[in-house]
Amino acid sequence: MKIERRKIDSLSYEIIVSIEKKDYNHTVNAALKNVSKNHTVSGFRKGFVPIRILRKMFGQDVINYEVNKILEKSINDYIKEQKLDILTPPILTNNDPIDWNSQQLNFNFEVGIAPDFKINMRPKKFIKYNILPQQKELDERISEIQKYFGSFTEEKTVSKDSKLSVLFTEINNIDGKIKNKTEGINKSIFVDMELTTEKFQDKIINNQVDDFFVWELQNIFQSSESLNNALNIKNKPNYQLSKLCKLQIQKIFQITPSPINKELFDKVLGPNKVNNVEEFRTKIEESIKKEYDKHSNDKFFNDITDYIIENTSFNLPINFLKKWISLNKKKEIEGNNYEKFEKEIKQQLILKKIISQENIDISYQAIEQYTTELIQAQFPYHNDMSQIKEQVKKIMNNKEEVNKITNKLASEKLLKIYLDKSKYKQKDINMDDFIKILKNPK
């Protein structure tokens, strides 16, 4: 087997892998022998079918499989040995059909290489918003807690003061046909009839469990704030809602709010954490502040990352990337979306560079430890480490979940770097004004 590399341009290469018959004949024969052990052919005992017959029956499939195995290993090993920092998996560029009878098989691959560049962090003073919970928000949160821990009485029909659990599904009206919105909101939501419009009340009053209908989103609640709260999109100002939704009643009930007393304190915060209303309000305010801090940190992180991207200049192998998009049928990033795709790659490269420069540990062990801490934080009163370890093991075997946790860990560590090394000033603000800034960035 032979591997050659030819330069296409400064950031892309052609890699030619040449495989001779002797490179795969022995593995093909071994594979056919394994087939022989388990395959039955009329006229031969199981396990005694001649290789020449199996080669006629399965030879090409086995050769394809074994050659692909050799190819994948050889090119991955070569990339690792040559320390090629590739942007995407290699793409096979053979145009002519493969002559499997040839003594030598040639496979042409193209790879795009990550450019070498320096991070440009010219001094600039950023703003980090300190979002302060308001009295109204604290009162609303405590009222929600009282209702959550209150007593429920189920009813058969909807009345003007009912509370509802409703299955909410975003839909689109396409050419007169109602279809669920792709990646739209589809979940149970809480509807307080006292916050709904008269038009909605006229439609739903006297309905029963399992009844459903299509409705305009903007005609459910009296205010957009109530709609955003119900759908939990208050802090997602860029989310584009459909005009229509399907609503199906799941439960109808009345709630008697829980009194604010020691029993409620213990249910919400744990036994003996607070002893009076003032301490309880302080703890709830602190929990709201933690939520707001996350939104503030997200904006701060994005502001600095965007600034670094805008002020760090380097080229990408554009022709290679466009070919990769086309060959992999990534229609969603063709045409006008290519610039967005290119920006995402640049962001990944820049963040990867900062992680390397700052020696940020995102090893398997670090991710595993971080996952353990996340689970322990989610279940603070669960002390059975064997169950926690089992849950961690399950997550670590899920590639998609590992990627999410890796990104979360890297973002948290990068945020600390930004906070340590960037110039910024704190600015107090309330959540409503913060949302306005998100909607209308300067």
Side-chain angles (χ1 to χ4, degrees):
M1 183 172 60
K2 184 172 68 173
I3 300 180
E4 295 179 296
R5 182 174 63 182
R6 298 172 186 166
K7 190 173 183 178
I8 297 173
D9 56 44
S10 60
L11 293 174
S12 56
Y13 291 95
E14 181 181 43
I15 299 175
I16 302 101
V17 182
S18 301
I19 301 176
E20 297 181 6
K21 277 193 174 182
K22 65 181 181 181
D23 295 321
Y24 60 84
N25 258 347
H26 64 289
T27 59
V28 169
N29 289 334
L32 288 172
K33 285 179 182 178
N34 282 333
V35 172
S36 173
K37 291 176 185 178
N38 301 302
H39 197 78
T40 302
V41 174
S42 179
F44 298 94
R45 285 183 295 159
K46 188 175 182 179
F48 289 89
V49 182
I51 291 294
R52 59 184 174 75
I53 293 178
L54 291 173
R55 189 179 287 276
K56 284 183 180 179
M57 296 175 67
F58 306 110
Q60 194 56 60
D61 289 338
V62 173
I63 290 172
N64 290 354
Y65 179 75
E66 293 300 327
V67 168
N68 278 328
K69 270 180 26 180
I70 293 170
L71 264 181
E72 184 177 356
K73 184 178 185 309
S74 60
I75 198 161
N76 286 338
D77 288 348
Y78 179 81
I79 288 168
K80 189 174 180 181
E81 289 164 7
Q82 297 295 314
K83 297 180 180 178
L84 299 178
D85 189 4
I86 60 175
L87 293 175
T88 70
I91 53 177
L92 183 64
T93 58
N94 287 51
N95 292 320
D96 299 326
I98 297 171
D99 180 7
W100 292 100
N101 294 318
S102 173
Q103 291 297 314
Q104 179 174 292
L105 304 174
N106 295 319
F107 298 90
N108 295 10
F109 293 89
E110 249 183 72
V111 291
I113 307 299
D116 188 26
F117 60 92
K118 292 182 179 179
I119 301 293
N120 190 345
M121 279 282 288
R122 292 197 299 271
K124 177 188 173 180
K125 202 166 188 177
F126 295 91
I127 296 175
K128 187 173 189 308
Y129 292 99
N130 181 35
I131 310 171
L132 301 173
Q134 303 301 296
Q135 191 70 33
K136 179 186 174 185
E137 293 164 341
L138 178 57
D139 291 339
E140 287 175 350
R141 180 64 60 87
I142 290 175
S143 177
E144 290 170 5
I145 290 170
Q146 286 180 268
K147 289 176 182 176
Y148 182 83
F149 288 97
S151 57
F152 294 73
T153 306
E154 289 200 24
E155 297 182 321
K156 291 185 177 181
T157 59
V158 179
S159 63
K160 198 168 184 177
D161 57 353
S162 292
K163 317 299 177 191
L164 311 175
S165 174
V166 176
L167 179 60
F168 174 97
T169 306
E170 273 190 277
I171 58 175
N172 288 323
N173 189 336
I174 302 173
D175 299 329
K177 295 181 180 179
I178 302 299
K179 294 184 177 180
N180 289 2
K181 178 182 175 182
T182 304
E183 296 183 1
I185 298 172
N186 180 26
K187 65 178 183 180
S188 295
I189 65 169
F190 174 78
V191 176
D192 186 341
M193 286 294 292
E194 294 177 6
L195 301 177
T196 59
T197 64
E198 287 187 16
K199 189 175 180 181
F200 180 79
Q201 290 174 10
D202 289 342
K203 174 67 178 177
I204 201 170
I205 284 175
N206 293 325
N207 274 237
Q208 299 179 353
V209 171
D210 292 333
D211 287 348
F212 63 90
F213 54 91
V214 172
W215 198 251
E216 294 179 355
L217 268 74
Q218 301 305 325
N219 281 324
I220 300 175
F221 293 98
Q222 297 170 22
S223 70
S224 58
E225 183 180 6
S226 295
L227 176 64
N228 292 341
N229 287 337
L231 298 178
N232 195 27
I233 58 169
K234 182 177 180 181
N235 301 314
K236 298 177 182 177
N238 297 321
Y239 186 81
Q240 297 295 317
L241 283 166
S242 298
K243 290 184 178 180
L244 299 174
C245 66
K246 176 184 171 184
L247 301 170
Q248 183 171 17
I249 301 170
Q250 295 176 310
K251 285 185 180 179
I252 308 166
F253 48 88
Q254 290 287 349
I255 299 176
T256 303
S258 168
I260 301 178
N261 54 23
K262 186 69 167 60
E263 184 180 354
L264 180 65
F265 303 159
D266 290 349
K267 284 180 180 177
V268 176
L269 301 171
N272 302 316
K273 295 293 183 182
V274 299
N275 297 304
N276 54 54
V277 174
E278 185 177 349
E279 291 177 356
F280 179 68
R281 289 180 68 85
T282 299
K283 286 290 185 183
I284 300 305
E285 185 174 11
E286 288 172 358
S287 71
I288 298 173
K289 184 68 172 69
K290 281 184 180 178
E291 294 173 20
Y292 288 179
D293 284 346
K294 183 184 182 305
H295 297 299
S296 171
N297 288 338
D298 286 346
K299 175 165 174 52
F300 183 72
F301 179 89
N302 291 333
D303 285 348
I304 295 184
T305 301
D306 288 345
Y307 174 79
I308 295 173
I309 291 172
E310 289 168 8
N311 290 278
T312 304
S313 178
F314 56 84
N315 295 321
L316 290 172
I318 294 174
N319 290 334
F320 168 81
L321 289 174
K322 288 185 175 179
K323 186 183 291 186
W324 181 84
I325 291 168
S326 176
L327 289 173
N328 287 278
K329 298 179 180 179
K330 301 285 185 180
K331 298 291 185 184
E332 70 274 12
I333 51 178
E334 287 184 344
N336 295 332
N337 289 325
Y338 176 76
E339 287 184 8
K340 181 182 176 184
F341 170 68
E342 188 175 318
K343 182 180 177 182
E344 288 173 355
I345 287 186
K346 285 188 173 182
Q347 177 174 327
Q348 290 168 12
L349 290 173
I350 287 169
L351 295 182
K352 182 180 176 183
K353 184 100 170 179
I354 298 172
I355 287 169
S356 175
Q357 286 181 354
E358 300 296 333
N359 296 315
I360 294 175
D361 183 10
I362 49 172
S363 62
Y364 181 91
Q365 290 77 11
I367 296 165
E368 188 175 45
Q369 177 59 35
Y370 183 66
T371 303
T372 303
E373 291 168 4
L374 288 176
I375 293 173
Q376 288 175 322
Q378 190 176 358
F379 304 102
Y381 305 113
H382 191 83
N383 297 315
D384 188 341
M385 280 307 297
S386 63
Q387 289 188 13
I388 291 174
K389 285 180 179 179
E390 188 63 33
Q391 185 67 18
V392 170
K393 184 179 178 182
K394 185 177 178 182
I395 291 171
M396 295 302 289
N397 286 329
N398 185 319
K399 187 176 179 181
E400 189 175 335
E401 286 299 316
V402 169
N403 287 338
K404 286 180 184 176
I405 291 171
T406 303
N407 291 335
K408 182 177 171 64
L409 174 61
S411 295
E412 285 189 10
K413 294 197 172 189
L414 282 169
L415 177 64
K416 289 179 181 177
I417 301 276
Y418 287 171
L419 289 169
D420 289 341
K421 297 196 172 184
S422 302
K423 294 180 179 179
Y424 65 93
K425 65 176 182 179
Q426 292 268 11
K427 184 176 180 180
D428 292 347
I429 195 172
N430 61 51
M431 178 53 86
D432 290 338
D433 289 340
F434 180 75
I435 291 172
K436 289 177 184 175
I437 290 171
L438 292 180
K439 286 182 176 180
N440 302 293
K442 292 181 181 179

